[in-house]
Amino acid sequence: MTKRALITGLTGQDGSYLAEFLVEKGYEVFGLVRRSSSSNLQRVSHLGKKLHILSGDLLDQSSLMDVITESQPDEIYNLASQSYVPLSWTQPALTAEYTALGVSRLLESIRRCKPDARFYQASSSEVFGQPDESPQNERTAFRPRNPYGVAKAYAHWMTINYRSQYHLYACCGITYTHESPRRGAEFVFRKITRTAAMIKLGLATELKLGNIDAVRDWCYAKDVVKAMWLMLSKMSRMTM
């Protein structure tokens, strides 16, 4: 029987690679897209009719319930959020609505409409903030230092609490920075490569960066989405 997957954040880097990966695995793939961004499908346009696009919004509980009821997914991947850290300082309330409370709405919709679906929540290394240990692990204390990290910490713990309280198959993947050719131009690697190309073409003369002393781990986006799928492919229920 063909498995069904619902992806939020379909139009982003991770959502597009995950949709591609699941289609290759033989899944029937549904993508949740806000009506205002329904035309922004360049990253998944090559998949054509292999994708089912559904309108919904993490700010709207009823739309989430409608989408889950219509798609009847076996797996749900929540990759949607306001994910740009600097913007979370200028729009902290909006970041909280999408990145934190949006996950509560989605979990409640799953509980009501499809409690047997397996759920993946995209957590983030920003929950650690300035950790006391390196490398970090699942038991490292959360000390978020920006509104985005705070919102991700809320979403992480709500996922754990819904799993415990309602016995959902729900898990969090704490990912670090991951890159690809589909990365948004506002992020540091794309900023560097894009500006280098512009300098070569004579369209720019300098590259401006923020804190050049920051230390990060990087990986490849395609490896990350495979890990998401593997987490939901486990036979037993997650305990962490």
Side-chain angles (χ1 to χ4, degrees), residues 211-216 218:
N211 178 14
I212 60 174
D213 295 320
V215 177
R216 290 288 187 273
W218 267 277

Side-chain angles (χ1 to χ4, degrees), residues 74-86:
D74 301 292
E75 299 169 7
I76 299 172
Y77 298 84
N78 181 39
L79 310 183
S81 72
Q82 190 302 100
S83 60
Y84 188 48
V85 172

Side-chain angles (χ1 to χ4, degrees), residues 195-215:
T195 305
M198 291 177 67
I199 291 172
K200 180 176 176 61
L201 295 172
L203 302 175
T205 58
E206 61 181 358
L207 168 65
K208 294 183 178 181
L209 297 173
N211 178 14
I212 60 174
D213 295 320
V215 177

Side-chain angles (χ1 to χ4, degrees), residues 44-81:
V44 293
S45 60
H46 62 289
L47 296 175
K49 295 182 179 180
K50 296 177 182 178
L51 283 180
H52 305 283
I53 305 300
L54 302 176
S55 294
D57 199 310
L58 290 180
L59 300 186
D60 181 15
Q61 178 86 53
S62 62
S63 73
L64 297 176
M65 294 175 68
D66 289 345
V67 165
I68 291 172
T69 299
E70 180 178 350
S71 60
Q72 288 294 299
D74 301 292
E75 299 169 7
I76 299 172
Y77 298 84
N78 181 39
L79 310 183
S81 72

Side-chain angles (χ1 to χ4, degrees), residues 123-129 131-143 156-157 160 172-176 217 240:
S123 196
S124 166
S125 61
E126 289 292 333
V127 299
F128 298 129
D132 292 331
E133 58 183 352
S134 184
Q136 296 83 51
N137 59 53
E138 294 90 340
R139 293 176 176 82
T140 299
F142 285 8
R143 295 191 178 99
H156 184 102
W157 283 109
I160 290 173
C172 300
I174 304 176
T175 58
Y176 288 70
D217 287 326
M240 286 300 300

Side-chain angles (χ1 to χ4, degrees), residues 121-191:
Q121 165 60 21
S123 196
S124 166
S125 61
E126 289 292 333
V127 299
F128 298 129
Q130 294 183 342
D132 292 331
E133 58 183 352
S134 184
Q136 296 83 51
N137 59 53
E138 294 90 340
R139 293 176 176 82
T140 299
F142 285 8
R143 295 191 178 99
R145 299 299 299 271
N146 55 65
Y148 171 72
V150 171
K152 279 293 187 180
Y154 173 95
H156 184 102
W157 283 109
M158 284 301 290
T159 301
I160 290 173
N161 276 274
Y162 262 73
R163 180 175 69 228
S164 175
Q165 181 70 18
Y166 299 115
H167 308 291
L168 301 180
Y169 188 111
C171 55
C172 300
I174 304 176
T175 58
Y176 288 70
T177 305
H178 43 283
E179 305 291 339
S180 77
R182 298 180 189 175
R183 185 66 147 157
E186 69 273 20
F187 294 94
V188 63
F189 262 40
R190 286 288 289 115
K191 185 183 293 185

